[in-house]
Amino acid sequence: MFDLAVFGSLFLTLFVIMDPPGITPIFLALTAGRPGKVQKRMAFQAVCVAGGVITVFGLLGHQILNYLHVSVPTLMIAGGLLLLLIALDLLTGKTDEPKQTKDVNVALVPLGMPLLAGPGAIVSVILAVQKAHTVATQVSVWTAILAIHVVLWLVMRYSLVIIRIIKDGGVVLVTRLAGMMLSAIAVQQIINGVTQVIQGS
């Protein structure tokens, strides 16, 4: 009742797309200055949000996109623009929002979506679920989805140790680096979306 090849293929695909090691500096930058307990809670919330979004699109992805008349490339471009706005805030240091609102926004946007549950991960899950015709492949697909989210939570949860080592000055440096990385990810996502629109026209 388990297909190891299907599990391994989807897990590796999601690992590359969702990039647990790459999310670490961005997570540290977006949660800097908060108590450790709050940061741990935000890591859990972000993974839950990403898992919820991935699950919904895995079950109802085609229906949702068709109902909204939204194509996958459009989803990629919109996600890229959203990430670019967050990246600019990190690069310029304009993150002086009210603390409570900021906590909620970081867990939901951009961590939960579109950083973790981005267009690439959503499309990969939609296709994997669509191709899973047997119980064994279905179980393998959903186990892979659960496994990658556990890995993401563990990476973000224990990345907080880094903060104790790099101190405040290091956090500022990580924030700027994360902004630069995030802007590159955003621009690439927009380019990919535009390229797919051109190829499909």
Side-chain angles (χ1 to χ4, degrees):
M1 294 291 290
F2 191 81
D3 192 322
L4 188 59
V6 171
F7 170 85
S9 176
L10 181 58
F11 181 84
L12 288 175
T13 299
L14 292 176
F15 189 91
V16 171
I17 293 171
M18 300 175 91
D19 191 15
I23 202 69
T24 301
I26 298 171
F27 172 74
L28 291 175
L30 291 173
T31 61
R34 295 177 175 85
K37 189 175 180 180
V38 172
Q39 290 174 313
K40 292 172 187 175
R41 187 180 73 240
M42 290 172 68
F44 181 73
Q45 288 175 339
V47 170
C48 287
V49 169
V53 171
I54 291 289
T55 299
V56 169
F57 275 94
L59 296 172
L60 305 168
H62 279 293
Q63 294 90 324
I64 292 172
L65 294 181
N66 289 337
Y67 178 77
L68 296 174
H69 304 290
V70 173
S71 66
V72 172
T74 304
L75 192 65
M76 294 177 72
I77 294 170
L81 290 172
L82 180 59
L83 288 181
L84 190 57
L85 290 174
I86 302 295
L88 291 174
D89 279 346
L90 290 176
L91 283 168
T92 58
K94 294 178 180 177
T95 55
D96 300 324
E97 304 172 61
K99 192 175 188 304
Q100 188 175 5
T101 305
K102 189 177 177 183
D103 285 348
V104 174
N105 286 343
V106 170
L108 302 179
V109 178
L111 281 175
M113 183 178 181
L115 268 178
L116 298 181
I122 288 172
V123 172
S124 297
V125 168
I126 290 174
L127 294 176
V129 171
Q130 193 176 27
K131 292 176 183 176
H133 300 299
T134 66
V135 174
T137 52
Q138 284 281 355
V139 170
S140 303
V141 164
W142 290 106
T143 303
I145 293 169
L146 177 62
I148 191 63
H149 283 83
V150 170
V151 170
L152 284 165
W153 175 74
L154 288 173
V155 168
M156 288 191 290
R157 166 71 172 75
Y158 291 102
S159 67
L160 300 178
V161 178
I162 298 173
I163 293 179
R164 298 182 195 137
I165 300 171
I166 63 177
K167 307 297 183 183
D168 290 342
V171 169
V172 173
L173 177 61
V174 167
T175 300
R176 299 298 181 265
L177 288 173
M180 193 161 56
M181 290 167 54
L182 196 55
S183 62
I185 293 170
V187 170
Q188 186 61 57
Q189 193 163 295
I190 293 169
I191 291 172
N192 292 344
V194 171
T195 302
Q196 289 189 27
V197 169
I198 294 172
Q199 289 174 346
S201 61

